[in-house]
Amino acid sequence: MEKKKISIIVSAYNTEAYIEKCLNSLLQQTYRNIEILLIDDCSTDGTLKILKKFAKKDKRIVLLENNKNQGLAYSRNLGLRKASGDFIGFVDSDDVVDPNYYEAMANELITQEATVAVSDIKSIYEVDGSVYVGKGCEGDPSDTLSYINVGLAASACNKLFQREVFEHDPFHVGKINEDVAVVIPILIHAQKLVYVKDVYYYYIQRDHSIQNSDFSFKKFDIFTGVEHTLLKIKTHDRYEIYKNALVFNQIILMFFYQFPNISESQKRKKYLKEFYRLSSGYDVLNNPFLNSFFKELGKKTRCFYQLLLFLEYHKLFWGANLLIDAYRFLKQKFQTVSLFSGDLDDLVLLAKKNQSIKNVGPTISVIVPNYNYARFLYQRIASILKQQVRIFELVLLDDCSTDESRELIDVIANHLSPYMSIKKVYNDVNSGSAFSQWEKGFQIAKGDYVWICEADDYCDDSALKEMIRPILHDSSIVISYVDTAMMDVQGRIFVSSLRSDIDLQKSGHWNHNYVMDGVEEFQKYTYLNCTIANVSSALFKNADYSAFFSKARNYKQAGDWIFYALVMQTGRIAYSKNSCNYYRQHGSNVTSVTKKQAHFEEVKQIHDYFISRYALNEGQKKKILERQAYLAQVWELES
């Protein structure tokens, strides 16, 4: 007897970096009687081209194209109308599933005569590659509440449905969190649910996805979803308990987990007021699932949440806002980088571990320019060796240090050389220029890309993985960089991000990861100010940049700006908003008027160079003059 057909609905919009892996995971399913309905929602990247390629090579694929960008709900409804299968599954275009995922789900649906099969989800975070398993069912699988009282209750993706459970165009067009009012009523009214273990839906957590985007009033669409759900289940004899579980998981947890992450205080205060208006009818303070949640928390976290709720529901929004500001300040103030404190043997172990990593992308040469930073060398080299990407070679440069740097470099190089490619290059005379050392590093480097790691800086273990990630999909990228945090000599972070310092035009450009043409990046942003805060945060395509360095050496304080601006115009540039690079601030931040004046003169000279070379328009010239006037004012200088 022929197996029942599964229709898998995949809505795609601008996921060219992920869609091939997604579709390959579907075509490799051990359950063969499937159709894959691909709906392109007017992608502006190369997504549609990839979809067409796959549609040509497998007759089980049905390609549909929206005539304008309509959103996920519209696309899913279209997929449902066109589906011919007995069962319905949903997969997001940047996610993947196990090879036996649909076979296991379909077998359980059939043998158990169930309405919906539910699996667990493995969330994979792009930031650091970490994995979190979210349960599709927590408790007794025969009790519907076990499927409702979990964070994944509303997800359509970790489920396989009998086709007949869907009404006409069930998803609410124009809403985010559109699954809530569709999936949860289906679960509650289902004759039988079945929990399928040991197969997983893999949810790729991207920073720029809808769920991980910055908070906005659009997030309050969840209240519409909850209201529609309650209308659909209002006659159920377990209405109250389902209502409380729904409110706790979809509304209260959103408040706890998302509001403390909203950085802008004035906007947050507006959100607090709106949240109160929308949620006050749900008796949040007496929600029975809330007390169980508090029992699982540590004392400090529990007290924070309890006080936040007290202030919110006594309409003391200024107090709730102030509490979150204090929480964010203390979290930042007392956040400390876990600095390496091992010895030479530990460095050797790190080198062995790093070299055991299989290289799957371009080779990376790491250059460490050093001048009198012996005290930080162990920490710095350890931070490089702890990377999750294989280091092709490590080049240690010393610019005629007067401390014990050279002796230490000798010892480190001798211990590591049996296990990895390591070079040491010493200047006989101090060059007096960081850019001369950078250029020397590029001349020595044999890797495809070069990472200049200043000897006193530090980084997360995931920094290089974050920088190389977009390059794996786009070899035309010449600079890939991450956000930078600032720390003191002891490793205490006092600035968690330099995005606001870079984004002088308040464009929001650096609020999301991006890849764009370097010329466009320069014309929109870098002509005005240096948009890469620290060289250690960036990975550069290896090339002959001697002409660029020749220009950069004309400037003592702002030559890095010239270098970045010239390099980015030779290809594409990539950015990650994750602060996994740490720039170390030494001592006082006070700068003499003389140095400020010299820096200001360099800024003006660089602006003049950009104007003469790139024919900037009148609007750009106006912004340049405004920038110069601002610097003159705040630095108390003559313009």
Side-chain angles (χ1 to χ4, degrees):
M1 186 175 69
E2 186 180 10
K3 288 186 175 181
K4 292 188 175 184
K5 182 189 284 189
I6 299 175
S7 294
I8 305 169
I9 297 171
V10 183
S11 174
Y13 176 70
N14 285 359
T15 52
E16 63 177 349
Y18 305 88
I19 187 66
E20 288 202 30
K21 187 176 289 186
C22 171
L23 294 180
N24 282 328
S25 79
L26 297 180
L27 293 178
Q28 292 165 8
Q29 289 297 299
T30 56
Y31 194 96
R32 305 302 297 170
N33 191 19
I34 61 174
E35 69 170 355
I36 304 169
L37 296 112
L38 304 180
I39 302 99
D40 180 70
D41 198 19
C42 287
S43 296
T44 58
D45 63 358
T47 298
L48 181 58
K49 182 178 179 181
I50 296 171
L51 298 182
K52 288 180 177 178
K53 179 183 72 174
F54 273 83
K56 286 181 180 179
K57 72 178 184 180
D58 198 303
K59 63 182 181 181
R60 295 175 298 170
I61 293 177
V62 178
L63 178 58
L64 305 168
E65 298 179 44
N66 291 338
N67 56 12
K68 64 179 181 178
N69 183 259
Q70 300 274 18
L72 181 60
Y74 179 93
S75 296
R76 284 183 171 175
N77 288 337
L78 176 61
L80 283 170
R81 292 197 299 272
K82 300 294 184 179
S84 61
D86 304 287
F87 304 140
I88 302 292
F90 298 92
V91 174
D92 287 344
S93 59
D94 50 356
D95 297 336
V96 296
V97 294
D98 278 330
N100 62 331
Y101 182 76
Y102 281 111
E103 182 161 28
M105 298 283 274
N107 285 345
E108 289 298 310
L109 267 186
I110 295 167
T111 57
Q112 298 293 327
E113 297 183 346
T115 310
V116 186
V118 181
S119 73
D120 295 333
I121 288 181
K122 282 189 178 180
S123 294
I124 301 176
Y125 291 81
E126 282 196 333
V127 174
D128 57 7
S130 61
V131 177
Y132 169 77
V133 178
K135 292 290 187 180
C137 175
E138 196 75 66
D140 181 1
S142 65
D143 184 357
T144 301
L145 182 62
S146 298
Y147 299 87
I148 304 302
N149 190 33
V150 292
L152 300 179
S155 173
C157 291
N158 68 322
K159 299 173 177 71
L160 186 62
F161 304 87
Q162 294 278 1
R163 179 189 176 88
E164 59 267 19
V165 301
F166 291 101
E167 59 191 30
H168 180 70
D169 287 354
F171 293 98
H172 292 187
V173 176
K175 301 291 183 181
I176 62 173
N177 301 112
E178 71 286 338
D179 295 356
V180 174
V182 178
V183 177
I184 291 180
I186 288 175
L187 296 181
I188 290 174
H189 291 304
Q191 289 186 348
K192 186 175 183 179
L193 305 175
V194 60
Y195 179 41
V196 185
K197 298 180 181 179
D198 301 325
V199 290
Y200 297 96
Y201 181 97
Y202 295 87
Y203 176 28
I204 311 302
Q205 294 270 21
R206 295 186 291 141
D207 283 343
H208 52 287
S209 69
I210 295 174
Q211 290 299 325
N212 291 328
S213 59
D214 293 337
F215 199 94
S216 69
F217 281 104
K218 193 68 177 170
K219 295 278 188 176
F220 292 126
D221 282 353
I222 189 64
F223 285 95
T224 302
V226 169
E227 290 169 9
H228 289 166
T229 302
L230 295 177
L231 286 173
K232 290 181 178 181
I233 67 168
K234 63 182 179 180
T235 60
H236 201 284
D237 56 4
R238 301 182 76 188
Y239 173 81
E240 286 298 328
I241 192 168
Y242 289 148
K243 174 185 175 181
N244 287 327
L246 180 63
V247 169
F248 172 72
N249 283 283
Q250 304 300 328
I251 292 177
I252 297 176
L253 290 186
M254 178 188 74
F255 181 67
F256 285 161
Y257 293 156
Q258 296 196 32
F259 274 64
N261 292 323
I262 301 172
S263 58
E264 295 186 48
S265 185
Q266 290 301 315
K267 284 187 177 179
R268 191 195 313 124
K269 190 173 181 180
K270 295 178 182 178
Y271 297 145
L272 287 166
K273 290 180 179 179
E274 182 66 3
F275 183 86
Y276 173 82
R277 185 185 73 81
L278 293 170
S279 66
S280 56
Y282 290 120
D283 195 15
V284 167
L285 296 178
N286 292 312
N287 189 291
F289 295 97
L290 185 60
N291 292 327
S292 299
F293 173 73
F294 282 150
K295 290 177 182 178
E296 298 175 358
L297 300 177
K299 184 177 180 180
K300 291 181 180 178
T301 305
R302 181 172 67 250
C303 289
F304 168 71
Y305 285 148
Q306 288 175 331
L307 181 55
L308 184 60
L309 283 178
F310 175 86
L311 294 169
E312 175 74 0
Y313 287 99
H314 284 78
K315 295 194 284 189
L316 299 172
F317 306 118
W318 63 270
N321 206 31
L322 188 62
L323 176 65
I324 293 175
D325 280 334
Y327 164 83
R328 290 178 58 83
F329 172 77
L330 292 172
K331 183 179 179 181
Q332 175 178 305
K333 183 176 179 62
F334 293 106
Q335 184 181 2
T336 303
V337 177
S338 180
L339 296 172
F340 176 77
S341 58
D343 56 18
L344 272 171
D345 290 337
D346 294 313
L347 283 182
V348 169
L349 290 175
L350 290 174
K352 289 180 178 178
K353 183 177 180 181
N354 178 270
Q355 294 300 289
S356 70
I357 299 172
K358 182 180 179 181
N359 190 68
V360 294
T363 53
I364 308 298
S365 294
V366 181
I367 312 298
V368 182
N370 175 72
Y371 177 68
N372 286 349
Y373 285 134
R375 61 189 291 200
F376 301 120
L377 279 174
Y378 267 36
Q379 293 178 5
R380 188 37 157 164
I381 293 172
S383 74
I384 294 166
L385 297 177
K386 290 167 73 176
Q387 295 304 302
Q388 300 163 20
V389 175
R390 181 186 173 95
I391 304 301
F392 174 68
E393 63 178 348
L394 179 62
V395 181
L396 306 177
L397 306 179
D398 186 76
D399 200 13
C400 209
S401 293
T402 58
D403 63 1
E404 66 274 19
S405 289
R406 291 197 176 185
E407 292 84 352
L408 192 54
I409 291 173
D410 284 340
V411 172
I412 291 172
N414 289 338
H415 276 74
L416 298 188
S417 58
Y419 309 104
M420 68 182 301
S421 175
I422 183 167
K423 302 172 186 175
K424 53 183 182 178
V425 182
Y426 298 152
N427 286 349
D428 295 327
V429 178
N430 180 264
S431 70
S433 169
F435 312 120
S436 293
Q437 290 295 87
W438 294 6
E439 182 176 13
K440 180 177 285 188
F442 273 94
Q443 292 170 346
I444 295 169
K446 303 298 183 185
D448 300 315
Y449 281 80
V450 175
W451 184 19
I452 298 175
C453 296
E454 296 284 6
D456 58 329
D457 293 336
Y458 204 69
C459 60
D460 280 349
D461 303 355
S462 61
L464 187 52
K465 185 177 181 180
E466 194 70 21
M467 287 186 274
I468 204 172
R469 191 189 313 278
I471 295 170
L472 297 176
H473 306 288
D474 188 346
S475 61
S476 68
I477 292 172
V478 292
I479 304 177
S480 179
Y481 70 113
V482 297
D483 191 15
T484 291
M486 296 187 72
M487 68 179 188
D488 62 16
V489 174
Q490 285 75 39
R492 292 188 294 262
I493 297 174
F494 58 91
V495 176
S496 60
S497 169
L498 292 180
R499 273 181 270 163
S500 60
D501 299 86
I502 290 171
D503 192 7
L504 300 182
Q505 302 178 68
K506 308 301 180 187
S507 65
H509 180 56
W510 288 271
N511 291 343
H512 306 282
N513 299 352
Y514 66 80
V515 176
M516 71 183 300
D517 181 74
V519 173
E520 182 181 1
E521 177 87 358
F522 173 82
Q523 288 289 338
K524 287 184 175 180
Y525 311 105
T526 310
Y527 79 90
L528 185 61
N529 63 294
C530 185
T531 52
I532 299 178
N534 177 230
V535 70
S536 299
S537 71
L539 196 60
F540 300 89
K541 195 166 193 175
N542 199 355
D544 180 6
Y545 297 128
S546 55
F548 298 167
F549 282 119
S550 178
K551 188 67 180 177
R553 281 196 297 272
N554 294 328
Y555 304 93
K556 297 292 185 184
Q557 300 183 63
D560 56 341
W561 180 14
I562 281 278
F563 176 68
Y564 305 146
L566 294 174
V567 173
M568 72 174 58
Q569 297 188 68
T570 66
R572 288 164 69 78
I573 185 167
Y575 167 78
S576 168
K577 73 172 187 175
N578 296 301
S579 300
C580 41
N581 176 66
Y582 303 113
Y583 173 72
R584 196 187 300 263
Q585 179 73 48
H586 299 270
S588 173
N589 202 27
V590 177
T591 304
S592 69
V593 173
T594 303
K595 286 187 176 181
K596 287 179 180 177
Q597 187 69 52
H599 193 173
F600 180 62
E601 293 303 321
E602 286 193 4
V603 169
K604 292 198 296 183
Q605 291 170 26
I606 291 173
H607 278 148
D608 289 342
Y609 173 73
F610 288 157
I611 291 171
S612 64
R613 176 164 179 165
Y614 298 110
L616 302 184
N617 61 41
E618 293 305 315
Q620 291 169 313
K621 291 176 184 178
K622 181 181 179 182
K623 287 183 179 179
I624 284 173
L625 291 176
E626 290 172 350
R627 174 63 177 164
Q628 292 177 4
Y630 172 80
L631 289 176
Q633 180 181 4
V634 297
W635 286 351
E636 298 179 348
L637 303 172
E638 294 182 5
S639 59

